[in-house]
Amino acid sequence: MAEKTSMAEELSKELLISRRNGFWDVTDEEIEKADAFCEGYKDFLNRSKTERESVAQTIVLAEKAGFVPFDSSKMYHAGDKVYYNNRGKSIILAVIGEEGCKNGVNISAAHIDSPRLDLKPYPLYESNDLVLFKTHYYGGVKKYQWTTIPLAMHGRMVRRDGSYVDVCIGEEEGEPQFCVTDLLPHLSSEQNAKTLANAIEGEALNILIGSRPIRTEDGKGDKLFKLNVMKLLHDKYGIIEEDLVSSEIEFVPAFKARDYGFDRSMIGSYGHDDRVCAYPALMALLNCKTPKKTALTVLADKEEIGSVGNTGLESSFLPYFVADLAKQEGLEARDVFSKSKCLSADVCAAYDPTYASAYELNNSCFLNNGVSILKYTGSRGKSGTSDASAEFMGEVRGMLYNNHVLWQTGELGKIDVGGGGTVAKFIAGLNVDVVDVGVPVLSMHAPLEIVSKLDVYMEYRAFEAFFRA
Ligand code: MN
Ligand code: MN
């Protein structure tokens, strides 16, 4: 009897997939490295809550690592490190390889925009002695999650003469914060009867920003509450109400990234999607010694609303950049792309036992089991996905195996309960081999998202190996 069991065990080990917590496959030393890596990540999160701040912080780190602004009229050579800043909202970084780009380039692509509350074009109003901002939510948000949490105001306001002022208020100790109010439970019987999706409507996401009028001699005047706030904004930032028309103001959760759990194994933060991939992809490139093939990290804007606009990956800024690199070597961009490979770095849903019915257990990704390689995303019958080839899946799987990077695969959740997409399809559209390699996240798109430190580190190790290949 004992022999038979052991034969079955042997066979199972040889033939079957064993899925176990990644903790058992790494040493304490690696856990320590993961924890140390995540200290830098938390700092990045706290400095980079918007796409603009992410680009600015990326440039600070890149210049420290010897990267310089790309100049298409200059000749570059193996080992040169450059970056292309696209309008302060997306960025491409490159390390020129020994072979240049004649055999293709290795691209890692992540996004740096996250769900949030944007201001409407005419946001400022007063109502019954309170002053509020009208907002328009950006990206896929569950609206109820954005009420009664502390919010900070980030962004840029551009004046009619083209000058601008950058704003960041609510992050530092002692600065005021803002919030969207919600109805008290005592008066919520009607609200409680609504569905979760309808209980808080888009037009209810109004941010409370003041409650005192400007003092006038006789206490008379129109819109004195609104005027008081506008005067404060004018005094501090030198803007008038009309300047809000040409602004990109984003209200984001005001709390900072912190360790979560008694064991400190996780990080809770706003904006893991997709900084949790952007930061590892960035660090792997910054630490990349002269690679064989030219290595690129692209950090894009607008993914959360479909990668649209001239800073999103549907735009041509990536192909134009690669065309500039190709031209230096007398090559056509299309020939470079056709031989190129890309790891599209975006988060996936981590299995949540509290909401087990949304997941298909066999094909779920779990916290602490390493990076998730997703062959496809999309919804229903794989609609809206690029669906990586078996060959490229095999290649990436082999690369991760050979470099002892913990990995897993799966799907977003049950087939017909929803869906989502990434930048993968836009890069695949350039005739590049591409697959999603990301980090599992709990409570994705919530103001507070959770990831595992081990997975963050494995994402870094995956890109390190990819650029080295
Ligand atoms: Mn994402
Ligand atoms: Mn997202």
Side-chain angles (χ1 to χ4, degrees):
M1 272 311 266
E3 242 172 62
K4 267 189 186 165
T5 314
S6 108
M7 190 198 71
E9 271 174 13
E10 289 277 300
L11 258 186
S12 299
K13 219 175 149 190
E14 196 186 327
L15 301 181
L16 299 183
I17 290 174
S18 107
R19 298 195 71 184
R20 60 174 186 173
N21 193 291
F23 177 84
W24 305 111
D25 294 317
V26 296
T27 59
D28 285 345
E29 201 189 338
E30 270 180 294
I31 300 262
E32 272 170 38
K33 280 187 188 168
D35 292 353
F37 181 79
C38 285
E39 291 304 305
Y41 174 46
K42 283 185 285 181
D43 188 60
F44 184 82
L45 281 167
N46 292 337
R47 293 172 192 272
S48 316
K49 289 194 177 182
T50 67
E51 58 284 355
R52 284 182 194 275
E53 291 167 357
S54 300
V55 167
Q57 186 57 19
T58 294
I59 291 173
V60 168
L61 296 174
E63 290 191 339
K64 241 186 241 172
F67 283 68
V68 296
F70 179 69
D71 177 349
S72 62
S73 68
K74 276 197 183 145
M75 278 300 288
Y76 291 101
H77 305 97
D80 284 348
K81 301 166 170 187
V82 295
Y83 68 85
Y84 169 70
N85 173 356
N86 181 16
R87 298 170 166 86
K89 297 200 282 183
S90 58
I91 187 166
I92 305 174
L93 304 103
V95 180
I96 309 299
E98 284 161 16
E99 299 174 351
C101 54
K102 67 172 188 282
N103 295 315
V105 294
N106 287 332
I107 306 168
S108 69
H111 69 91
I112 46 177
D113 60 316
S114 297
R116 62 191 189 234
L117 303 181
D118 286 344
L119 286 191
K120 285 196 182 195
Y122 289 134
L124 183 61
Y125 72 106
E126 71 168 61
S127 184
N128 304 95
D129 295 359
L130 296 176
V131 191
L132 301 107
F133 271 150
K134 291 297 293 181
T135 70
H136 197 133
Y137 61 93
Y138 173 98
V141 303
K142 292 170 84 170
K143 295 187 256 321
Y144 75 89
Q145 294 178 337
W146 292 77
T147 65
T148 61
I149 57 165
L151 297 171
M153 173 172 158
H154 293 236
R156 173 167 294 185
M157 299 182 282
V158 181
R159 302 184 193 93
R160 204 157 41 206
D161 65 4
S163 64
Y164 64 84
V165 57
D166 285 333
V167 185
C168 179
I169 184 159
E171 295 289 349
E172 296 302 324
E173 201 54 47
E175 285 181 349
Q177 297 180 331
F178 314 92
C179 79
V180 174
T181 56
D182 194 4
L183 199 53
L184 60 167
H186 318 66
L187 298 179
S188 291
S189 59
E190 275 180 30
Q191 187 191 47
N192 289 345
K194 293 181 183 171
T195 62
L196 201 58
N198 297 325
I200 306 290
E201 289 175 2
E203 296 299 346
L205 295 175
N206 305 317
I207 299 175
L208 184 61
I209 55 169
S211 69
R212 277 184 193 159
I214 200 159
R215 191 171 298 278
T216 55
E217 276 168 29
D218 55 0
K220 282 186 186 153
D222 196 26
K223 295 183 182 155
L224 297 181
F225 290 79
K226 171 177 168 174
L227 189 60
N228 191 42
V229 164
M230 198 56 239
K231 172 88 167 45
L232 290 168
L233 286 171
H234 180 74
D235 291 347
K236 191 167 165 66
Y237 301 113
I239 59 150
I240 59 172
E241 187 182 8
E242 197 182 290
D243 293 327
L244 293 170
V245 168
S246 46
S247 73
E248 285 174 333
I249 298 295
E250 307 175 9
F251 279 82
V252 297
F255 35 77
K256 301 228 182 296
R258 293 185 76 132
D259 289 348
Y260 271 67
F262 288 114
D263 54 11
R264 294 178 174 268
S265 58
M266 300 165 284
I267 303 169
S269 175
Y270 166 69
H272 280 312
D273 178 7
D274 186 30
R275 286 161 192 78
V276 73
C277 299
Y279 181 75
L282 170 65
M283 293 315 286
L285 193 81
L286 299 191
N287 296 335
C288 173
K289 304 275 177 274
T290 308
K292 210 158 84 179
K293 294 177 186 178
T294 294
L296 263 63
T297 287
V298 187
L299 305 180
D301 182 24
K302 297 283 186 278
E303 192 279 341
E304 295 296 356
I305 57 168
S307 295
V308 291
N310 57 10
T311 51
L313 268 174
E314 200 181 30
S315 148
S316 297
F317 75 92
L318 174 62
Y320 289 171
F321 180 81
V322 171
D324 281 341
L325 291 181
K327 197 167 70 183
Q328 297 224 323
E329 298 174 39
L331 303 166
E332 293 282 345
R334 62 171 192 216
D335 296 323
V336 173
F337 275 125
S338 302
K339 295 175 196 156
S340 292
K341 289 163 190 171
C342 174
L343 299 186
S344 159
D346 208 345
V347 298
C348 77
Y351 182 81
D352 187 338
T354 303
Y355 298 99
S357 67
Y359 300 85
E360 191 259 290
L361 198 53
N362 283 344
N363 285 284
S364 292
C365 293
F366 297 84
L367 233 56
N368 284 308
N369 283 15
V371 299
S372 54
I373 324 175
L374 297 198
K375 188 175 184 299
Y376 51 84
T377 56
S379 43
R380 302 178 306 280
K382 296 195 181 182
S383 175
T385 181
S386 50
D387 204 0
S389 70
E391 288 84 351
F392 195 52
M393 278 296 282
E395 186 180 329
V396 171
R397 195 185 120 205
M399 176 197 78
L400 297 176
Y401 175 83
N402 292 333
N403 288 281
H404 311 288
V405 178
L406 290 179
W407 66 271
Q408 56 187 323
T409 184
E411 296 190 327
L412 188 68
K414 274 185 182 165
I415 295 170
D416 288 329
V417 301
T422 67
V423 300
K425 63 176 177 181
F426 301 103
I427 293 176
L430 299 166
N431 198 27
V432 172
D433 273 317
V434 53
V435 68
D436 283 300
V437 175
V439 173
V441 177
L442 285 168
S443 308
M444 192 197 296
H445 282 207
L448 179 71
E449 304 175 310
I450 302 288
V451 299
S452 119
K453 290 182 179 177
L454 185 57
D455 297 337
V456 179
Y457 181 59
M458 286 298 157
E459 181 80 347
Y460 168 74
R461 295 266 324 281
F463 287 110
E464 208 184 26
F466 176 58
F467 292 142
R468 221 187 300 123

